[in-house]
Amino acid sequence: MALLIKGGTIVTSSEEFRGDILVRGEKIAAVGSGLDWKEEQTIDAAGKYVFPGGIDGHTHFGLSIRGARTASFDTTPAAVSGGTTTIIDFVPQPKGMSLLDASIKHRSEMVEGVSAADFGLHAMVMDAQPGIYDELPALVEAGIPTIKLLMAYKGTPFYSDDATIFKMLEATKKVGMLTMLHAENGDIIDVLEKRLISEGNTDPKYHAESRPPAAEIEATFRAVMLAQAADAPVFVVHVSCADAMAAVRDARGRGIAAFGETCPPYLTLDVGYLTKSHFEGAKYVCSPPLREKQNQQPLWQALQNGWLQTVGTDHCGLNFKGQKDMGRGDFTKIPSGFPGVENRLALLYSYGVRTGKLSLQRMVDVFATVPAKLFGLYRRKGSVTVGKDAGLVISDPDYRGKISAKTSLHGVDYNAYENFDQIGRVDKVFLRGKLSVHGGKFTGCLGQGRYMERETYTTAYTGGAKKRLHR
Ligand code: URP
Ligand code: ZN
Ligand code: ZN
């Protein structure tokens, strides 16, 4: 089966040109102009953009957090309909279970046969048994070259101390893995949460007061210094404010392999949303919290200038009714995080590209290309290049509309961007050559997503030959 996408404006992280794409089976077979295979199925993409399928390197499907469970993988059509053909989901580590067993369980019980998007998995330390460092080679062999630790959530299994993080950085370096850190100072937050609650300050807005920018900035500095001490690369997830971004940027300027992600909420929403009446501020509780508006411009600038490398969503499908509202009377009981996997491209385009803050090429870079490189998928994904998977997004720049929960597929009773103006819309999506969105509507099926074995950071980022591990 072959397919010709004709006359679209193809956008990669380095170019923008009018051209044609020939897809044979699951792969891109040719890219050029005037391609003519008359017998094939032809799609007219004139007047439309063609982007590589997005890679969202930060999702939490089916995650248990503060007594709630996020929407599961049967809601991944939301990702595909938003132009994201690959997700990389964090695997919670049950107590007493190895990281590898946790990932096998997560994959077989939750993802395989369900996900509509191709998927990879990140390991996530929640039980720092002595054996976790020794099992890294097995994780690499299983195609899991990334591991996350959290400096926040003290007193819960999510929390890791500096010794654990430092040892993990040293261990990951030996096998070429990339350590990802949630950088917020757990001690500061623990003290402030307890104090605010004891003083009767229980509303959602106090969630942000308990997690001030200084708690994130300090932890981000610590993260990059731990990486320097271990001489290992580090990736700071969900950077929310200007000074934390500067900590990552400046560390790289000093020669530390420090990279960072920001997320659409920090680019488009601000702390004021936490004060919404009728407890609706709880809808906007995430960690790190939304910040003062003046942080948005530096974060856009960081994406444009390459100071931050990727935009992930930190997608958590949590309902307002029955989940977020469990925190009435105590903000510490509001499950943290909110959905966004469906809206990443629309927000980057509408509020980044169309306002002149982000070039189209940079948008593609942070949306697809750099996530593919940093997370070990670039051999297959992240660019409109011959030989890569035909994960392709045809986007209509003339569309004007509004974001709404009513039209969202994320399986949640609200959308944090409700009523936001949207410019441009995903018209068609191909997942490895298979039409999965047509006319803006999801036409794929659950289970079409395939597990993606990923390569190590060292291999993927340098483009070298596949690393052989000597055990
Ligand atoms: O608030 C958030 N981000 N919840 C999800 C867990 C995490 O910290 O990434
Ligand atoms: Zn986090
Ligand atoms: Zn997260």
Side-chain angles (χ1 to χ4, degrees):
M1 175 63 188
L3 166 78
L4 187 62
I5 301 170
K6 249 194 128 32
T9 301
I10 300 166
V11 188
T12 71
S13 62
S14 56
E15 288 162 302
E16 179 181 334
F17 55 95
R18 196 135 184 251
D20 312 329
I21 301 167
L22 179 71
V23 175
R24 281 200 196 282
E26 298 192 342
K27 300 281 182 194
I28 298 172
V31 180
S33 62
L35 297 186
D36 202 8
W37 271 266
K38 287 202 176 54
E39 73 279 14
E40 312 291 359
Q41 185 193 347
T42 300
I43 291 191
D44 179 10
K48 308 256 191 336
Y49 287 123
V50 187
F51 304 128
I55 296 170
D56 188 343
H58 193 153
T59 66
H60 299 284
F61 286 95
L63 174 73
S64 294
I65 184 162
R66 288 181 175 173
R69 196 177 176 79
T70 62
S72 202
F73 290 86
D74 58 352
T75 59
T76 46
V80 180
S81 64
T84 290
T85 48
T86 308
I87 54 172
I88 312 179
D89 201 66
F90 288 93
V91 177
Q93 179 198 13
K95 193 164 176 48
M97 194 180 280
S98 75
L99 294 163
L100 184 62
D101 285 348
S103 72
I104 293 167
K105 185 174 150 67
H106 192 74
R107 179 177 163 190
S108 64
E109 290 181 5
M110 295 189 63
V111 206
E112 199 82 60
V114 182
S115 184
D118 282 352
F119 62 95
L121 302 172
H122 300 293
M124 178 160 77
V125 174
M126 292 176 64
D127 181 10
Q129 337 147 4
I132 55 173
Y133 310 101
D134 298 331
E135 59 167 316
L136 298 187
L139 283 177
V140 171
E141 288 293 328
I144 304 175
T146 41
I147 186 162
K148 184 168 83 163
L149 299 95
L150 293 90
M151 302 162 98
Y153 303 113
K154 195 155 188 231
T156 79
F158 287 104
Y159 175 79
S160 286
D161 62 17
D162 287 354
T164 306
I165 293 167
F166 180 62
K167 282 191 277 180
M168 186 55 78
L169 282 160
E170 287 189 319
T172 50
K173 186 187 178 192
K174 288 193 190 128
V175 293
M177 284 176 71
L178 179 61
T179 303
M180 308 169 84
L181 292 177
H182 172 136
E184 283 184 294
N185 182 308
D187 283 302
I188 294 177
I189 294 164
D190 190 47
V191 170
L192 291 179
E193 276 187 347
K194 287 182 177 135
R195 184 182 303 154
L196 285 160
I197 292 296
S198 73
E199 290 169 352
N201 296 316
T202 61
D203 288 346
K205 69 175 180 185
Y206 295 107
H207 171 81
E209 277 197 26
S210 73
R211 311 177 88 99
E216 182 184 353
I217 299 159
E218 184 281 328
T220 308
F221 269 116
R222 193 154 33 97
V224 299
M225 295 317 291
L226 287 165
Q228 181 172 30
D231 189 23
V234 69
F235 182 90
V236 182
V237 297
H238 49 45
V239 174
S240 74
C241 61
D243 288 343
M245 174 276 290
V248 176
R249 178 196 63 196
D250 296 348
R252 216 173 37 267
R254 298 195 303 277
I256 301 168
F259 306 96
E261 161 203 74
T262 190
C263 310
Y266 307 119
L267 295 163
T268 58
L269 302 169
D270 63 74
V271 68
Y273 282 81
L274 289 168
T275 61
K276 274 182 168 256
S277 55
H278 308 297
F279 201 63
E280 290 204 33
K283 293 177 175 175
Y284 298 89
V285 164
C286 60
S287 306
L290 299 177
R291 301 298 189 191
E292 296 293 342
K293 212 175 174 51
Q294 68 259 25
N295 289 282
Q296 293 175 1
Q297 176 56 28
L299 292 177
W300 283 114
Q301 186 184 23
L303 293 174
Q304 179 59 27
N305 291 351
W307 300 337
L308 291 178
Q309 284 66 43
T310 71
V311 173
T313 58
D314 202 0
H315 175 83
C316 292
L318 291 163
N319 282 311
F320 178 60
K321 289 206 182 77
Q323 294 190 306
K324 288 285 193 179
D325 64 3
M326 292 190 309
R328 276 186 206 274
D330 183 348
F331 71 83
T332 67
K333 296 201 164 58
I334 302 169
S336 188
F338 55 85
V341 76
E342 192 164 356
N343 307 113
R344 187 170 61 123
L345 180 61
L347 292 166
L348 285 173
Y349 184 73
S350 303
Y351 296 93
V353 174
R354 294 301 292 239
T355 60
K357 297 186 184 89
L358 196 62
S359 70
L360 264 180
Q361 281 85 10
R362 286 297 303 149
M363 185 191 79
V364 166
D365 217 19
V366 301
F367 176 70
T369 311
V370 183
K373 289 178 178 169
L374 278 177
F375 302 141
L377 286 165
Y378 194 59
R379 206 175 293 276
R380 294 193 64 162
K381 296 186 186 287
S383 183
V384 182
T385 307
V386 172
K388 292 214 195 287
D389 285 356
L392 296 166
V393 177
I394 302 183
S395 173
D396 174 7
D398 296 328
Y399 172 87
R400 299 286 184 281
K402 299 262 189 205
I403 295 176
S404 172
K406 287 196 197 79
T407 49
S408 299
L409 300 182
H410 58 208
V412 173
D413 60 5
Y414 75 99
N415 189 310
Y417 309 99
E418 188 69 33
N419 239 5
F420 267 45
D421 289 322
Q422 179 176 330
I423 305 177
R425 180 184 75 153
V426 168
D427 177 44
K428 290 185 179 56
V429 175
F430 297 89
L431 180 88
R432 280 178 282 103
K434 180 184 174 201
L435 183 66
S436 298
V437 174
H438 183 54
K441 300 260 177 290
F442 181 71
T443 56
C445 59
L446 291 179
Q448 68 180 6
R450 196 178 289 160
Y451 176 62
M452 291 291 130
E453 268 192 31
R454 296 181 293 120
E455 296 174 57
T456 59
Y457 160 86
T458 41
T459 308
Y461 207 67
T462 58
K466 188 165 168 54
K467 194 177 167 84
R468 285 260 159 260
L469 286 171
H470 303 288
R471 289 197 237 177

